[in-house]
Amino acid sequence: MTVPDFQRARSAAAKQLRESTILAAARTLGAEQGIRQITLTDIGEAVGMHKSAMLRYFETREEIFLRLTADGWREWSTALRARLEELAAPTPPAVAGVFASTLAARGLFCDLLAQAPLNLERHVSLDAVRAFKLVTLAEVDAIAAVVQRLLPGLTERDCVDLIAAATAVSGAFWQMATPGPEVATLYRSDPRLAHAVVDVEPRVARLLVAMLEGMLA
Amino acid sequence: MTVPDFQRARSAAAKQLRESTILAAARTLGAEQGIRQITLTDIGEAVGMHKSAMLRYFETREEIFLRLTADGWREWSTALRARLEELAAPTPPAVAGVFASTLAARGLFCDLLAQAPLNLERHVSLDAVRAFKLVTLAEVDAIAAVVQRLLPGLTERDCVDLIAAATAVSGAFWQMATPGPEVATLYRSDPRLAHAVVDVEPRVARLLVAMLEGMLA
């Protein structure tokens, strides 16, 4: 290896390390308080970098969170597929339950799922959108293949629809279920608003069981 | 009627007229370009009012759009229930089709459905949140009553779940289906991204048919 090659490698490794540090800080802040309010400055403070230095690694705060969304898809997909493979009897309630519990256990991912098409994808470069979409489409294919093997009565389109529905409702219901402390107090204090409180996991599970049973009928 | 009463009534009527004008302008702008980018200043320019004068009628831009979301629930609910009542045979595909077509025909409402829990409800007073929630809960009850009468095999909870799913997926899929012109071009130009294009109405219809058939099974 010549010296310039070595330097390039070292510099690429250093860049990757710095990126990972920024992503980890954004993940921690996002998991604590939702990504809504988190600015580039907040993330910079957490890693001890000035905002202008951060821009060497990511174009915008949205690019950071879109990268976390892609990471979230990979991580959820791996966990979901492992749990599905372990099922003794892959019935619709069992499969729906694994989808619902793995999604409900990932609050930051649910937040990102709702934010990505509304906010994140709209403030990044086309290359960043392309890279993000290729990750999600590959994970959807991987999940669909496992679901179709476990429930052979489903078509490939059924499986893609199921994954689209599971992620869309989990994102939306998570937003409704975490409305901020003042509104949460309001919901608890006014009995007319009792139904405004959404319990994400059981509702997602019920919807997906019904959907799977209908698709298989 | 005493004079102060009359003045109060006239002033209340004038205030209501002004509010309606502001809401109509926001609705037109939102339907044209999505609500994402629309500021109080934009709405003020459309109605010939300074931003500071607008604040006498609405606390924030989010309050304007949350009012439009409540109006959207009333308008959609009325149209949906009328279309459901007209069905000669209220089968699951027929009921699902009416949900999907009435939602897909209301792009601004779909946009608002996704934006409300993420952005709108978080930038208004608790009174505004309460008023909004009471409207949506009343419309959900009204729709659920009609659906349950047409498909008596459904429980009340099934009907509420169905409405929650229909509105959540329509909001999310609409955001994915309208990604902005540059990203839309990217999706069309890269064959690997063909599946990133979401066709809202048929997908919502398929999901709801399966869900209804599963609930009735």
Side-chain angles (χ1 to χ4, degrees):
Chain A
M1 196 187 256
T2 66
V3 173
D5 271 352
F6 175 73
Q7 283 180 340
R8 207 155 30 234
R10 196 178 59 177
S11 140
K15 181 164 187 278
Q16 205 167 18
L17 180 65
R18 199 48 87 88
E19 281 185 10
S20 303
T21 309
I22 294 169
L23 290 170
R27 189 181 294 116
T28 303
L29 289 170
E32 280 166 13
Q33 52 191 275
I35 71 159
R36 179 167 302 102
Q37 321 252 18
I38 300 170
T39 63
L40 263 187
T41 307
D42 297 332
I43 302 168
E45 276 172 16
V47 295
M49 281 173 77
H50 191 267
K51 186 176 154 182
S52 59
M54 306 262 297
L55 295 175
R56 267 183 274 148
Y57 302 94
F58 295 98
E59 309 154 12
T60 54
R61 70 177 277 286
E62 285 79 11
E63 194 193 351
I64 296 175
F65 288 119
L66 201 60
R67 279 280 295 274
L68 289 185
T69 317
D71 292 348
W73 269 96
R74 287 195 201 91
E75 191 275 327
W76 172 61
S77 165
T78 305
L80 171 74
R81 287 179 286 126
R83 292 273 305 277
L84 288 173
E85 301 279 11
E86 285 163 20
L87 288 175
T91 60
V95 169
V98 172
F99 269 87
S101 66
T102 52
L103 283 164
R106 288 170 171 77
L108 174 62
F109 183 48
C110 289
D111 189 11
L112 292 164
L113 282 171
Q115 299 275 358
L118 257 84
N119 301 323
L120 307 182
E121 291 177 20
R122 303 189 190 244
H123 296 97
V124 299
S125 68
L126 287 183
D127 281 344
V129 174
R130 181 189 288 113
F132 171 65
K133 282 289 164 187
L134 289 174
V135 169
T136 63
L137 293 170
E139 296 305 335
V140 168
D141 283 350
I143 297 167
V146 173
V147 173
Q148 208 183 0
R149 186 155 41 74
L150 296 179
L151 294 169
L154 298 179
T155 65
E156 193 188 331
R157 192 177 72 176
D158 288 338
C159 296
V160 173
D161 281 350
L162 178 81
I163 299 162
T167 48
V169 296
S170 297
F173 295 165
W174 186 88
Q175 298 294 335
M176 294 173 200
T178 54
E182 289 191 339
V183 173
T185 305
L186 170 70
Y187 288 173
R188 281 194 300 271
S189 67
D190 188 334
R192 296 171 302 169
L193 299 180
H195 285 124
V197 180
V198 174
D199 201 352
V200 178
E201 183 173 344
R203 178 172 276 180
V204 173
R206 288 198 304 271
L207 293 175
L208 299 184
V209 172
M211 207 175 286
L212 281 168
E213 287 179 343
M215 287 168 171
L216 290 166
Chain B
M1 194 187 256
T2 65
V3 173
D5 270 353
F6 174 73
Q7 283 180 339
R8 208 159 24 235
R10 196 179 56 175
S11 138
K15 180 165 188 279
Q16 205 166 19
L17 180 65
R18 197 48 85 89
E19 282 184 10
S20 303
T21 309
I22 294 170
L23 290 170
R27 190 181 293 116
T28 303
L29 289 170
E32 279 166 12
Q33 50 190 279
I35 71 159
R36 179 168 302 103
Q37 321 253 16
I38 299 169
T39 63
L40 263 187
T41 307
D42 297 332
I43 303 168
E45 276 172 16
V47 294
M49 282 174 76
H50 191 267
K51 187 177 153 182
S52 60
M54 305 262 297
L55 294 175
R56 268 185 274 148
Y57 302 93
F58 295 98
E59 309 154 11
T60 54
R61 70 176 279 286
E62 285 80 10
E63 194 193 352
I64 296 176
F65 289 117
L66 201 61
R67 280 280 294 275
L68 290 185
T69 317
D71 292 349
W73 269 96
R74 287 195 201 92
E75 190 275 326
W76 172 62
S77 165
T78 305
L80 171 73
R81 287 180 286 124
R83 291 273 306 275
L84 288 173
E85 301 278 9
E86 285 163 19
L87 288 176
T91 59
V95 170
V98 172
F99 269 87
S101 65
T102 53
L103 284 163
R106 288 168 170 77
L108 174 63
F109 183 48
C110 289
D111 189 11
L112 292 165
L113 282 171
Q115 299 276 356
L118 256 84
N119 300 324
L120 308 182
E121 290 177 21
R122 305 189 188 244
H123 296 96
V124 299
S125 68
L126 287 183
D127 282 343
V129 173
R130 180 189 288 112
F132 170 67
K133 282 289 163 186
L134 290 174
V135 170
T136 63
L137 293 170
E139 297 304 335
V140 168
D141 283 350
I143 298 167
V146 173
V147 173
Q148 208 183 359
R149 186 156 41 73
L150 297 179
L151 294 169
L154 298 178
T155 65
E156 193 188 330
R157 193 176 72 176
D158 288 338
C159 296
V160 173
D161 281 350
L162 178 80
I163 300 162
T167 49
V169 296
S170 297
F173 295 165
W174 186 87
Q175 299 294 336
M176 293 173 203
T178 53
E182 290 192 338
V183 173
T185 305
L186 170 69
Y187 287 174
R188 280 194 300 272
S189 68
D190 188 333
R192 296 171 302 169
L193 298 180
H195 285 124
V197 181
V198 175
D199 200 353
V200 177
E201 183 173 343
R203 178 173 274 179
V204 173
R206 287 198 305 270
L207 293 175
L208 299 184
V209 172
M211 208 177 284
L212 280 169
E213 287 180 342
M215 287 169 171
L216 291 166

